[in-house]
Amino acid sequence: MDLVPALERPLKNVLGAATAKVMAEHLGLHTVGDLLHHYPRRYEERGQLTHLADLPMDEHVTVVAQVADARLHTFASARAPRGKGQRLEVTITDGSGRLQLVFFGNGVHKPHKELLPGTRAMFAGKVSVFNRRLQLAHPAYELLNGDPDEPGEAVESWAGALIPLYPATAKLESWKIGKAVQTVLPGVQEALDPLPDALREGRGLVPLPEALVKIHRPQTKADIADARARLKWDEAFVLQVALARRRHTDAQLAAVPRVPRPDGLLTAFDDRLPFTLTEGQQRVSREIFDDLATAHPMHRLLQGEVGSGKTMVALRAMLAVVDAGGQAALLAPTEVLAQQHHRSVTEMMGELAEGGMLGGSEHATKVVLLTGSMGAAARRQALLDLVTGEAGIVIGTHALIEDKVQFHDLGLVVVDEQHRFGVEQRDALRGKGKQPPHLLVMTATPIPRTVAMTVFGDLETSVLDQLPAGRSPIASHVVPAADKPHFLARAWERVREEVTAGHQAYVVCPRIGDEEEGTAKRPTAQDDAGKRPPLAVLDVADQLAKGPLQGLRVEVLHGRMAPDDKDAVMRRFAAGDADVLVATTVIEVGVNVPNATAMVIMDADRFGVSQLHQLRGRVGRGAAPGVCLLVTEMPEASPARQRLGAVAATLDGFELSRIDLEQRREGDVLGQAQSGARSSLRVLAVIEDEEIIAEARQEATALVAADPDLTGLPGLRTALDALLDEEREQYLEKG
């Protein structure tokens, strides 16, 4: 939200080229406005000290503390063989804990003079462990005492009762960022306010210039609260206006209404179903059919629990469109999933999927598969079936988006697992319709309502929250392999028992195992200081086949296998010709083998909460109950174990997604991790600020309906341009 010429000035013109270069490279800050929107992470009170007891390992921290004692040691080393090496050890304290600082060599002289017992200062550095104690080696520091010889420059620039501590890097300490902010803060008075006056005054929010001064230089805690309340509204409102404008633009487009024939393909399909749809499926189907019948394109997000029957709802929508003379395309993120969907759709439809073939029903259509690895002849035939309209339904991967693919009359696009596709890909497929087709986006990761409003705010949302009859409960347990090795032995016995009872099992590992030395993926769990590399499919399969699961038919499945091999393994497993499938997360979504009742997830702490919930949903899909065992070596008190405990304790995906969001950085959830763009959310917390987001959405929708071009709101238009410039376009795509 870089707001006006004063705030659009490049930092190099204000702070000098060297500082500006570091800010651009390490913090992504380019203009005065960027810097003013780089808010303090927290504040230190002069009379209070930080909690040294809670410092995170391997992170760059800034602490305010007092020197307890300082000792200079001499020692012999290769560089200083005659005992001339010098090491200064300074202990600082904050009342909650103590922290050791070390300085070596020529670097000891200045701190030895300045860091005397009783001195208060800010220290910044990376936390490491030495002799089982936390320490900062060669930290940068800034004294807070005010030296009578130097006319209190440090004290002046840190005036005020609260010291802001900024998100910093090794190259740029918090106080240097603070001094840079001090330099640009006077220009803040020229900031154009993005909030309409009536909205701001009606909600008692302070003007933007005042909010920026108060967040960077607060005199009291009330100042911080005022500033944050105001800046949260900015973020929520500007984002919701962007989404409301997207909805508004889409609603202006014309689409062909698609109403199913009363006794056509959909009726024939429903008559074949061996079960009745759940109330949820019926309700959501009605919402979708109402949308399909309008002359504007549907934009709907269908989210539901693993196994809640989303595919059935999507298939009925596709059949309705085929009934009405159009074609439907289902876009899946992987070949395994596309093949799986193709198989389950043709099985569900039976002779209704055999259009143009002997034995096909009179209402039948053709269902074709299109993936990148198909043979040339099959691919040519599929493309021909699409362009002639012979195929009513096509299921495929990104291959559907290619230029060569042309449709006779594309009426509906269904996107499975939205978080793997950006808006551009959605739009590329929608662009293949003569008029914009209707769009249904599915996700099996349950998303809390506010996240849906923030990330998928351009879509209407339908939620399936009950499981179909016949789905069995899944019991989940944490297996602490390090504390209780006999629990792991029992887990393998449990797998054998399931197989003996005629069922099958999955074993999931975080890594494949054929990576070249040095390219093995670093583990992603936060608490992985010094852990062994993650377990690999190929190693684990080998150990199981020779050890605890000897005599069982063990197969492997992972993403680097050839597509035909993957499909062959999945077919054998689905047919019951393999007992245990050792796999990576390729089985995370869409794989449906009702006879698989057990899952063992190795190194479960290396997976995210939502991912574990997804994986677990692969078992208990038939009449027999499922069991999911989460194997971990993490100690009982660790955050990773608590996370696994939460997954074991509930099968409610919406509850888990909230826990997940509270534990992760919001940016990850909002797709920032993949796109590399900076999150535009700096003070807004999606879960905590539910009410603000909901209210901002209402205000934004009303504003855009009344004035879609925002003619009377130059400040808001500027803020939108800043949100939607280059990289940040991706923010709305969550791609």
Side-chain angles (χ1 to χ4, degrees):
M1 284 174 236
D2 321 327
L3 295 154
V4 286
L7 299 201
E8 283 169 13
R9 286 179 64 197
L11 285 172
K12 62 172 182 280
N13 299 358
V14 188
L15 302 174
T19 306
K21 184 168 184 255
V22 177
M23 288 200 164
E25 283 176 8
H26 294 274
L27 294 170
L29 308 177
H30 304 278
T31 65
V32 168
D34 287 344
L35 178 56
L36 286 171
H37 288 290
H38 185 74
Y39 308 130
R41 180 181 285 170
R42 56 193 176 84
Y43 302 84
E44 282 299 346
E45 292 183 62
R46 296 225 158 216
Q48 274 193 342
L49 298 166
T50 67
H51 281 287
L52 293 182
D54 304 336
L55 289 180
M57 272 297 299
D58 278 342
E59 273 193 32
H60 202 83
V61 298
T62 303
V63 297
V64 177
Q66 190 159 7
V67 177
D69 82 294
R71 297 176 185 202
L72 191 61
H73 303 274
T74 54
F75 59 90
S77 71
R79 282 191 178 169
R82 291 201 293 279
K84 292 285 177 64
Q86 291 193 308
R87 181 176 78 245
L88 176 66
E89 288 179 4
V90 178
T91 306
I92 58 173
T93 178
D94 65 351
S96 79
R98 298 166 86 79
L99 181 64
Q100 184 102 24
L101 315 179
V102 289
F103 300 88
F104 291 100
N106 296 334
V108 304
H109 305 308
K110 185 168 180 275
H112 189 215
K113 263 201 341 239
E114 293 181 338
L115 298 179
L116 304 171
T119 305
R120 299 197 58 241
M122 283 196 289
F123 302 91
K126 196 170 176 184
V127 183
S128 57
V129 172
F130 181 70
N131 279 346
R132 309 193 78 163
R133 285 163 62 192
L134 293 183
Q135 71 165 26
L136 296 181
H138 281 281
Y141 62 88
E142 180 93 343
L143 300 178
L144 292 173
N145 296 21
D147 183 343
D149 300 339
E150 292 180 26
E153 184 223 344
V155 180
E156 277 311 302
S157 68
W158 295 100
L162 294 158
I163 302 167
L165 295 184
Y166 289 89
T169 71
K171 297 268 186 259
L172 204 62
E173 289 91 11
S174 169
W175 55 85
K176 289 186 181 156
I177 297 171
K179 285 177 178 171
V181 169
Q182 190 76 2
T183 309
V184 302
L185 209 51
V188 80
Q189 296 314 322
E190 297 181 45
L192 266 184
D193 203 318
L195 291 190
D197 291 346
L199 187 157
R200 186 173 61 70
E201 287 158 10
R203 294 186 178 275
L205 300 169
V206 300
L208 182 62
E210 185 183 330
L212 290 171
V213 169
K214 282 183 167 174
I215 200 148
H216 290 292
R217 290 291 171 268
Q219 299 301 307
T220 62
K221 287 186 174 170
D223 284 354
I224 300 170
D226 284 352
R228 288 179 68 86
R230 161 63 215 240
L231 295 166
K232 281 182 177 194
W233 253 96
D234 276 16
E235 288 179 8
F237 183 70
V238 173
L239 179 58
Q240 292 301 339
V241 168
L243 292 165
R245 287 181 84 188
R246 190 174 167 100
R247 283 198 303 277
H248 184 269
T249 308
D250 284 339
Q252 306 310 304
L253 299 171
V256 179
R258 308 281 179 175
V259 181
R261 292 202 307 276
D263 54 351
L265 184 55
L266 180 62
T267 310
F269 175 76
D270 285 348
D271 291 345
R272 282 179 50 97
L273 284 180
F275 53 82
T276 50
L277 299 175
T278 65
E279 280 170 43
Q281 285 174 317
Q282 290 173 4
R283 184 194 71 245
V284 170
S285 287
R286 278 196 301 275
E287 292 171 353
I288 291 171
F289 290 154
D290 287 349
D291 281 0
L292 289 175
T294 64
H296 300 293
M298 164 171 84
H299 285 96
R300 192 165 280 282
L301 172 69
L302 170 58
Q303 56 163 326
E305 275 293 6
V306 180
S308 58
K310 289 182 301 298
T311 313
M312 173 61 68
V313 169
L315 176 55
R316 292 184 74 242
M318 296 199 291
L319 295 174
V321 168
V322 175
D323 251 353
Q327 290 170 293
L330 170 59
L331 183 60
T334 64
E335 295 213 347
V336 167
L337 197 47
Q339 286 161 340
Q340 189 84 30
H341 273 314
H342 183 253
R343 207 170 309 143
S344 59
V345 164
T346 47
E347 278 167 16
M348 284 197 272
M349 287 175 65
E351 71 268 17
L352 296 175
E354 295 168 3
M357 296 186 227
L358 274 174
S361 151
E362 58 167 320
H363 298 298
T365 185
K366 212 170 183 184
V367 180
V368 300
L369 176 69
L370 188 64
T371 64
S373 66
M374 282 169 77
R379 188 182 175 81
R380 254 198 317 276
Q381 183 60 51
L383 291 172
L384 188 65
D385 288 341
L386 286 179
V387 78
T388 58
E390 188 81 10
I393 294 178
V394 59
I395 296 169
T397 54
H398 293 75
L400 284 177
I401 299 170
E402 290 169 13
D403 293 343
K404 289 199 265 315
V405 181
Q406 298 200 335
F407 290 85
H408 177 65
D409 178 14
L410 181 61
L412 170 66
V413 174
V414 180
V415 180
D416 192 17
E417 284 310 307
Q418 157 62 20
H419 62 280
R420 317 226 182 155
F421 294 102
V423 164
E424 283 167 356
Q425 291 161 312
R426 269 171 26 190
D427 286 351
L429 188 49
R430 281 166 52 196
K432 293 185 177 293
K434 296 189 173 63
Q435 277 189 294
H438 299 280
L439 174 72
L440 181 65
V441 166
M442 299 198 291
T443 173
T445 309
I447 307 166
R449 177 171 147 270
T450 37
V451 182
M453 282 191 328
T454 309
V455 178
F456 300 114
D458 58 332
L459 305 174
E460 298 300 322
T461 305
S462 295
V463 177
L464 278 174
D465 46 14
Q466 48 186 152
L467 294 184
R471 288 298 304 256
S472 304
I474 305 169
S476 306
H477 305 283
V478 178
V479 177
D483 315 350
K484 298 177 178 163
H486 59 287
F487 275 39
L488 183 57
R490 174 73 191 107
W492 300 126
E493 283 172 26
R494 189 79 184 74
V495 169
R496 273 190 174 280
E497 288 164 14
E498 289 298 314
V499 173
T500 307
H503 299 303
Q504 293 160 281
Y506 298 100
V507 177
V508 182
C509 305
R511 202 160 60 87
I512 296 173
D514 59 359
E515 297 90 347
E516 289 173 19
E517 273 306 305
T519 61
K521 267 193 152 162
R522 290 280 303 129
T524 52
Q526 298 146 340
D527 7 43
D528 66 345
K531 284 207 299 197
R532 61 164 171 70
L535 291 171
V537 166
L538 300 174
D539 305 339
V540 169
D542 192 44
Q543 289 158 11
L544 291 176
K546 291 176 180 165
L549 301 185
Q550 198 170 3
L552 301 188
R553 296 166 300 173
V554 177
E555 296 237 14
V556 299
L557 180 71
H558 58 74
R560 280 214 294 278
M561 289 164 64
D564 289 351
D565 296 346
K566 277 193 281 206
D567 197 42
V569 169
M570 270 321 303
R571 278 175 189 274
R572 282 199 297 276
F573 189 65
D577 296 335
D579 301 316
V580 179
L581 188 62
V582 184
T584 55
T585 53
V586 289
I587 62 157
E588 182 183 345
V589 279
V591 172
N592 184 22
V593 180
N595 191 43
T597 52
M599 176 176 285
V600 182
I601 303 180
M602 307 303 292
D603 280 345
D605 47 276
R606 313 255 183 182
F607 299 96
V609 170
S610 296
Q611 206 173 21
L612 290 169
H613 182 60
Q614 279 287 349
L615 287 165
R616 170 171 65 184
R618 301 301 112 215
V619 295
R621 299 177 79 85
V627 62
C628 177
L629 304 173
L630 306 167
V631 180
T632 177
E633 293 182 0
M634 297 305 286
E636 198 163 354
S638 63
R641 270 286 281 280
Q642 288 158 6
R643 212 165 53 228
L644 295 180
V647 174
T650 178
L651 288 173
D652 180 342
F654 287 92
E655 176 57 30
L656 285 174
S657 65
R658 288 184 74 96
I659 293 170
D660 199 14
L661 199 53
E662 281 158 7
Q663 292 188 339
R664 290 161 57 179
R665 294 198 329 279
E666 222 118 36
D668 298 344
V669 179
L670 301 183
Q672 292 310 308
Q674 298 93 304
S675 72
R678 284 180 295 129
S679 168
S680 64
L681 302 193
R682 296 180 177 85
V683 283
L684 192 71
V686 174
I687 288 285
E688 281 167 38
D689 298 321
E690 264 180 288
E691 283 174 26
I692 295 178
I693 291 169
E695 289 171 19
R697 179 170 171 134
Q698 275 180 332
E699 295 269 12
T701 308
L703 178 79
V704 170
D707 178 8
D709 297 328
L710 311 178
T711 38
L713 297 162
L716 180 55
R717 284 215 310 277
T718 312
L720 271 173
D721 292 343
L723 173 71
L724 298 175
D725 68 357
E726 16 103 35
E727 285 188 320
R728 293 182 210 167
E729 190 75 66
Q730 297 173 359
Y731 170 74
L732 295 183
E733 289 163 13
K734 189 171 193 289

